[in-house]
Amino acid sequence: MNMSQWLRPRSIFSNFSNTSRTIAVWVGLAVLAAAFPWVSDTQAAASSGESRHINAQRLQGNLEKLSEFGRNPEGGVTRLGFSQTEMDARTYVTGLMKEAGLEVRVDAAGNIFGRRAGTAPLPTLLFGSHIDSVPHGGNFDGTVGSLGAIEVIRALNDGHVTTQHPLEVVIWTNEEGPHFGISALGSGVAAGVLGPEILDRKDDVGLTLADWLRRYEQDPAHLTDARIPRGTLAAILELHIEQGPQLYETKVQIGVVQGIVGLKRWKCIATGFANHAGTTPMNRRKDALAAAAKDLLAVRDVVREEPGRQVGTVGYMKAEPGAPNVIPGRVEFPVELRDLDAATIERMWEHIQQRFAQTDKEEGVETRCAVINDIAPALSDPSVQSVIREAARSTGLSTADMPSGAVHDAGEISRLAPMGMIFVPSRDGISHAPQEFSAWDDVANGTEVLYRSILKLDKQMNAR
Ligand code: GLV
Ligand code: MN
Ligand code: MN
């Protein structure tokens, strides 16, 4: 019996079309989020480390070792997807997978899978995360879910526990995406939403994505071989740090993710005219950086225009030629918009474009923007959410249902299989920064919930 057959009859959204189901869920989530910024549905007794199956010390040791790859003097790591540093970290993590007895393979997008056989011919229960980071990022984003997944396998081995479903741990390629501008790259290819059109993308030093895949010992001509065939996955689970303040501030131990925001990203080029900074009168300039600065503020204004949780960011500006005595003639900057509702993102972008056109006129500049990343919002499966909630309760942990403002690989794989995510608290809500931290006890709690969720899904999904 395959997982989607098992889940659908129990899913409250099972009779809806995909589109109306999406709308219904997001309207529901929006109402919920507006009424209760977070909904704590259980305040159970504090957990006891003794009741855990997973080994918290072993997990911490492995996470600390992983944090050495790309470590920065100020703390945290820079371990970009498709970099030598990440390649070295991949070798370390692949070793851990093999030590755990997993049969390791790497797909054409560079995603690493480690398989543990099941006792029945059933679709695979897939779980894992990513080990790449943003520049000057933290030690917990992605790594907790990656090494937590390997720890789940180690704990099953220790307890001589078998499962009916085959289990696979996955380490997705280039989730963060600063390199090549594509977030959730590996999972996007696996889900079939990205294809060979991305291969010619060049990075700052002129290497293409295809070049990097070759360095990862993959043949870019076979990129689409990485697509996961529909029906082969029973479910996808991802353990992750929350990356926001809600769990930490409310002292709730486990977040049960209801859905993940959509993200759309554009690369914009403002073209003016590079000229002498001393001799060009102020009213005869075509200053691309002045225009881009106005554009940045326009993004912020438009996003703030309506109430809601939508966000918009201009993450950098590259001005050329980049000298104090030359008026910038060309500026590259990205625009990133996120919301639970894809229509809100489109509406904001319409307004932003109008504001950019106005600025172009005022500054004598031309600004062109092209989409470089488009990730649709994703829903967690209600039945998988229940399993996670029950797993947390059985461990004595409190839970809160919550949306995710960060994107995640599990979101892309939700196009193929029922998805669920487990969040653990982030200290002070800080992430994508060296100060990112989650208490080791919280990391262990999340991993134990992942362990129990996997076993519950394994039992329940094959019960009919
Ligand atoms: C990934 O962490 C993202 O949300 O950008
Ligand atoms: Mn992440
Ligand atoms: Mn991240």
Side-chain angles (χ1 to χ4, degrees):
M1 168 79 48
N2 104 13
M3 170 65 178
S4 40
Q5 283 168 310
W6 175 82
L7 278 165
R8 277 199 198 107
R10 290 170 171 77
S11 163
I12 56 172
F13 301 107
S14 56
N15 296 327
F16 289 57
S17 70
N18 266 353
T19 314
S20 48
R21 182 180 156 198
T22 304
I23 292 166
V25 170
W26 288 122
V27 168
L29 279 181
V31 170
L32 195 69
F36 310 98
W38 45 89
V39 184
S40 177
D41 60 21
T42 317
Q43 281 292 345
S47 67
S48 146
E50 285 162 28
S51 64
R52 288 188 195 126
H53 301 82
I54 62 102
N55 181 329
Q57 262 135 28
R58 181 168 58 197
L59 175 59
Q60 179 176 344
N62 290 343
L63 280 162
E64 283 173 346
K65 175 75 192 156
L66 180 56
S67 75
E68 292 171 16
F69 295 87
R71 175 174 287 171
N72 287 317
E74 77 275 18
V77 288
T78 296
R79 196 164 56 226
L80 299 192
F82 298 116
S83 67
Q84 184 60 47
T85 312
E86 197 219 22
M87 239 194 261
D88 297 341
R90 284 163 62 93
T91 304
Y92 167 65
V93 170
T94 304
L96 290 181
M97 288 167 115
K98 288 183 179 158
E99 253 176 57
L102 294 168
E103 190 189 316
V104 175
R105 71 175 197 282
V106 180
D107 75 9
N111 299 313
I112 307 170
F113 293 85
R115 188 171 179 87
R116 186 180 195 260
T119 56
L122 290 167
T124 303
L125 275 169
L126 183 64
F127 50 105
S129 193
H130 62 95
I131 60 165
D132 66 313
S133 82
V134 294
H136 299 273
N139 283 324
F140 293 80
D141 179 355
T143 55
V144 166
S146 299
L147 299 199
I150 297 172
E151 178 52 40
V152 166
I153 301 291
R154 293 290 299 264
L156 292 171
N157 294 346
D158 292 348
H160 306 287
V161 180
T162 57
T163 55
Q164 301 173 82
H165 294 78
L167 306 182
E168 280 192 9
V169 170
V170 59
I171 311 295
W172 300 107
T173 307
N174 202 26
E175 189 270 352
E176 297 291 4
H179 199 178
F180 296 108
I182 309 170
S183 290
L185 189 147
S187 53
V189 174
V193 298
L194 296 173
E197 73 283 352
I198 62 175
L199 289 170
D200 294 333
R201 286 264 181 114
K202 280 205 176 108
D203 63 12
D204 287 349
V205 296
L207 286 172
T208 62
L209 195 50
D211 294 330
W212 269 105
L213 282 171
R214 278 186 216 100
R215 287 189 181 189
Y216 276 40
E217 295 177 1
Q218 299 307 314
D219 178 356
H222 291 138
L223 184 70
T224 53
D225 290 357
R227 289 190 176 159
I228 298 177
R230 210 164 266 285
T232 58
L233 291 185
I236 170 79
L237 257 67
E238 185 167 350
L239 164 67
H240 206 281
I241 57 168
E242 181 203 332
Q243 306 184 271
Q246 299 185 3
L247 294 173
Y248 185 76
E249 286 179 359
T250 54
K251 299 194 181 349
V252 172
Q253 291 155 307
I254 295 290
V256 182
V257 175
Q258 301 158 298
I260 303 170
V261 289
L263 167 158
K264 200 156 174 181
R265 199 177 278 157
W266 294 259
K267 180 153 115 182
C268 300
I269 309 288
T271 309
F273 192 86
N275 208 344
H276 198 293
T279 60
T280 313
M282 292 307 285
N283 62 353
R284 293 180 58 175
R285 296 175 176 223
K286 295 181 174 180
D287 184 335
L289 186 54
K294 281 180 157 180
D295 290 344
L296 180 157
L297 293 177
V299 169
R300 200 175 63 158
D301 290 347
V302 169
V303 172
R304 285 175 170 176
E305 253 162 26
E306 42 182 304
R309 299 169 78 110
Q310 67 278 3
V311 291
T313 307
V314 173
Y316 66 83
M317 282 195 184
K318 283 187 200 158
E320 292 173 18
N325 54 353
V326 185
I327 298 161
R330 182 183 189 275
V331 176
E332 176 194 311
F333 64 96
V335 177
E336 189 196 89
L337 302 175
R338 301 184 187 209
D339 193 59
L340 295 170
D341 176 14
T344 301
I345 293 179
E346 293 306 326
R347 196 170 57 247
M348 290 191 295
W349 181 240
E350 284 297 311
H351 293 181
I352 287 168
Q353 279 179 298
Q354 287 160 13
R355 295 280 300 268
F356 282 13
Q358 181 63 30
T359 299
D360 278 5
K361 260 197 218 145
E362 290 164 4
E363 300 295 330
V365 162
E366 187 180 35
T367 305
R368 291 185 184 277
C369 301
V371 177
I372 54 168
N373 205 183
D374 188 1
I375 299 178
L379 295 170
S380 302
D381 187 280
S383 301
V384 179
Q385 288 182 57
S386 300
V387 163
I388 294 170
R389 226 174 274 119
E390 285 162 23
R393 281 185 187 145
S394 75
T395 319
L397 301 169
S398 55
T399 67
D401 294 350
M402 60 196 305
S404 170
V407 295
H408 297 288
D409 294 303
E412 290 298 49
I413 305 304
S414 75
R415 330 284 174 210
L416 298 176
M419 178 272 285
M421 284 196 74
I422 301 159
F423 274 180
V424 295
S426 293
R427 188 176 66 194
D428 295 326
I430 296 170
S431 184
H432 284 187
Q435 295 87 348
E436 178 181 275
F437 182 76
S438 290
W440 292 112
D441 205 40
D442 288 330
V443 169
N445 283 341
T447 307
E448 178 68 22
V449 172
L450 178 63
Y451 174 96
R452 294 185 187 214
S453 300
I454 296 293
L455 289 184
K456 274 180 192 295
L457 284 171
D458 180 53
K459 262 207 192 101
Q460 294 181 20
M461 285 160 59
N462 202 28
R464 288 158 53 95

